[in-house]
Amino acid sequence: MKGDDSKRHVKIIVPLEQDEDGYPPVGAERLWALPIGEGRYQLDNIPFFARNLAWGDVVSAVPEEGAEEGVLRFDQVLQSSGHSTFRILVHDEPQVSELCELVERLGCDTERSHLPRLVAIDIPPGVPLAVVRQALSPGVSQERWEYEEACIGQPEVE
């Protein structure tokens, strides 16, 4: 959670579709969000498994039937934040810190998953995707990690 006003946060459940290999390892992801009125919420953490969602996106959500108060079900993205989400699977757990430092130096934020080798990266609009890809490339070619571009929220710059 990137924000610090935890009293106002709600949880939004995003249903996930698992592939034939059982990925992602959960059937739904719970994301923190801030209510901004009229059934609209601004996401306040980096998704680990949900696709096409990024920190700061404005989404609609409805109360989740049978859930505790403050838990909602994702409906749709209403407005992109312009942020992008990459997910990185680090093959050797001790290198997770090195990876986080690398992308944070570029101006990105990171969140570590409950899965020790999985890192979610928030790429703000001011950080070119090409720069992040270039920084990640040596680790991919050396088979230290692999990554997925889960949400591209900013225009690609040639």
Side-chain angles (χ1 to χ4, degrees), residues 33-89:
L34 289 166
I36 57 175
E38 301 174 8
R40 300 174 326 142
Y41 303 86
Q42 186 170 35
L43 297 182
D44 197 31
N45 71 281
I46 308 167
F48 283 103
F49 301 110
R51 299 186 59 76
N52 301 314
L53 290 172
W55 182 86
D57 285 354
V58 175
V59 303
S60 61
V62 295
E64 172 71 353
E65 192 172 315
E68 65 268 19
E69 186 177 341
V71 177
L72 306 165
R73 178 169 290 278
F74 171 78
D75 182 40
Q76 65 180 327
V77 175
L78 300 173
Q79 181 180 4
S80 170
S81 62
H83 288 242
S84 296
T85 304
F86 283 15
R87 288 189 273 270
I88 302 179
L89 181 62

Side-chain angles (χ1 to χ4, degrees), residues 80-100:
S80 170
S81 62
H83 288 242
S84 296
T85 304
F86 283 15
R87 288 189 273 270
I88 302 179
L89 181 62
V90 180
H91 296 294
D92 188 14
E93 189 178 340
Q95 293 184 350
V96 169
S97 294
E98 174 189 339
L99 168 75
C100 290

Side-chain angles (χ1 to χ4, degrees), residues 111-147:
E111 285 191 35
R112 294 181 187 199
S113 168
H114 67 287
L115 304 173
R117 298 180 301 121
L118 180 63
V119 179
I121 298 176
D122 170 56
I123 306 167
V127 177
L129 295 175
V131 170
V132 177
R133 290 176 182 131
Q134 183 177 19
L136 294 174
S137 181
V140 171
S141 63
Q142 296 164 7
E143 298 183 356
R144 292 187 293 152
W145 53 68
E146 55 191 274
Y147 72 95

Side-chain angles (χ1 to χ4, degrees), residues 2-17:
K2 289 170 68 171
D4 56 3
D5 187 6
S6 60
K7 293 179 184 164
R8 293 190 52 227
H9 282 95
V10 296
K11 281 283 194 173
I12 296 181
I13 296 172
V14 180
L16 303 172
E17 201 169 305

